[in-house]
Amino acid sequence: MSTAEQTAEARGRTSEWLRERMSHALSELTAAGALVILFIALSFASPHFLTSDNLFNIGAQTAVIAIIATAQTMVIITKGIDLSVGSVAALSGVVGAIVVRDLGFSVWAATAVAIAVGAAAGLVNGLLVTVARIPPFIATLGTMSVGRGLVFIVTGSVGVYSLPESFQLLGNGEFLGLPFAVVLTAIVAVGVAFLLSQTRFGRYTYAMGSNLEAARRSGVPVRRHLTAVYVLAGVLVGLGGMIAASRVNSGQPNYGIALELDVIAAAVIGGASLFGGQGRIIGTLIGAFLIAVVRNGAVLLDISIHYQQVIVGVIIWAAVYFDQLRRQRLEARG
């Protein structure tokens, strides 16, 4: 290849990279703009929206959605999907509450147990996808059913109560005036963003989502790495489930039903593509905040939970539609 051809190829790669970066930025700016408009509208619609208690509540609610949506984003980047996050979060939170109440574990030890439960569920999902070669949608759908069944078996369909006040630390505690859950979210977001953007783990994750066969031929250990992605996602789901249980100071077997819709919506709104290979954590955080504000505003305006589900469904439709348009434009320009 001549020098001129190499230069032209390099310019082409640079141009493609710039187009993708601009596409990501546009998605994130659009989501941020929608969030600002919604925030202003709710400020006028409800006198309770801008109160300190409500903003604290939004922060804690955003934390749970954001942490679990971060897990979902990693899976979506690999061109997968995880429908089990709600069930696994509920199971993790319930188990964490049980070991505190019945075994006298500290909140930190219980959090470690909850994370281990999430990691185990992630390992099951990973092995089903990589070893059994079951499509992610079906594999995680099965895990969703198994997880929810285990929650009701473990609890006897009754919530786990009579927990010490210290159990509320993760969900309702404060650190330097900020909700502790928000601090944990920031740590998780920075850590995963660094992992995806600056490490081999991240390069492999994006490569697999862009072209699985090409990644395999390039020497990426596809099975091992994809399993690791699901395990790490399970770790974050376990943490999110523990924070959710801590918020209400109880382990609720019904927690997390339809949670997968919220976290998928948060990831897609933030620019993650269901076609794989695209997604950034900053966009997911914006999407999670948007979903949390929608939920919170609906409660303040006394909108039925059923209408809330309709709203989230429409948001998912719109986000996926615009993702398709974005990909088509990128391919056309390429």
Side-chain angles (χ1 to χ4, degrees):
M1 182 181 295
S2 66
T3 303
E5 291 174 335
Q6 290 177 345
T7 302
E9 183 179 352
R11 286 177 178 174
R13 288 196 299 266
T14 302
S15 178
E16 181 180 357
W17 178 83
L18 286 173
R19 284 195 299 268
E20 289 183 358
R21 296 286 292 185
M22 291 178 63
S23 177
H24 286 308
L26 180 60
S27 296
E28 292 161 5
L29 286 173
T30 301
L35 176 60
V36 170
I37 293 172
L38 181 62
F39 206 90
I40 294 173
L42 288 174
S43 299
F44 287 102
S46 172
H48 305 291
F49 181 73
L50 287 180
T51 61
S52 58
D53 288 343
N54 188 60
L55 293 177
F56 188 99
N57 182 53
I58 291 175
Q61 187 176 1
T62 301
V64 176
I65 297 176
I67 289 174
I68 299 179
T70 297
Q72 188 73 255
T73 299
M74 290 191 298
V75 175
I76 288 176
I77 289 172
T78 68
K79 208 173 183 178
I81 198 77
D82 188 352
L83 300 179
S84 68
V85 292
S87 298
V88 173
L91 181 62
S92 300
V94 160
V95 171
I98 289 175
V99 298
V100 168
R101 185 191 65 181
D102 296 344
L103 302 180
F105 279 33
S106 70
V107 64
W108 300 114
T111 301
V113 172
I115 287 174
V117 171
L123 178 61
V124 170
N125 283 333
L127 293 177
L128 287 173
V129 171
T130 60
V131 178
R133 296 188 178 183
I134 300 175
F137 182 92
I138 302 301
T140 58
L141 182 65
T143 305
M144 177 179 72
S145 181
V146 171
R148 187 62 64 183
L150 287 176
V151 171
F152 287 117
I153 290 171
V154 169
T155 62
S157 302
V158 178
V160 182
Y161 299 102
S162 302
L163 296 166
E165 186 176 347
S166 61
F167 188 77
Q168 300 183 54
L169 174 63
L170 270 65
N172 298 317
E174 293 186 18
F175 180 77
L176 298 178
L178 295 173
F180 194 70
V182 172
V183 175
L184 288 175
T185 301
I187 294 172
V188 168
V190 171
V192 176
F194 177 83
L195 193 66
L196 289 176
S197 63
Q198 302 297 326
T199 69
R200 181 182 298 176
F201 181 93
R203 291 193 294 273
Y204 284 178
T205 301
Y206 284 105
M208 288 169 51
S210 298
N211 191 318
L212 184 62
E213 186 58 32
R216 181 181 288 110
R217 292 181 178 180
S218 299
V220 176
V222 170
R223 286 189 178 183
R224 186 174 65 210
H225 183 76
L226 189 55
T227 301
V229 169
Y230 277 97
V231 171
L232 179 56
V235 166
L236 298 182
V237 172
L239 175 60
M242 189 64 181
I243 294 174
S246 176
R247 284 190 64 205
V248 296
N249 201 31
S250 63
Q252 294 297 327
N254 286 320
Y255 174 75
I257 294 175
L259 178 63
E260 59 278 355
L261 295 180
D262 286 0
V263 298
I264 291 172
V268 175
I269 288 169
S273 174
L274 293 175
F275 299 97
Q278 294 182 8
R280 297 202 307 175
I281 301 304
I282 182 63
T284 297
L285 293 180
I286 296 172
F289 198 30
L290 180 62
I291 294 298
V293 171
V294 166
R295 293 287 192 187
N296 180 265
V299 172
L300 292 178
L301 299 177
D302 198 25
I303 297 175
S304 167
I305 184 67
H306 306 301
Y307 286 105
Q308 293 180 39
Q309 292 302 106
V310 171
I311 293 170
V312 172
V314 171
I315 290 174
I316 293 175
W317 282 346
V320 173
Y321 174 71
F322 284 112
D323 176 49
Q324 288 180 320
L325 289 181
R326 182 182 62 181
R327 290 180 63 87
Q328 291 171 0
R329 289 172 181 172
L330 284 174
E331 291 173 358
R333 290 173 183 174

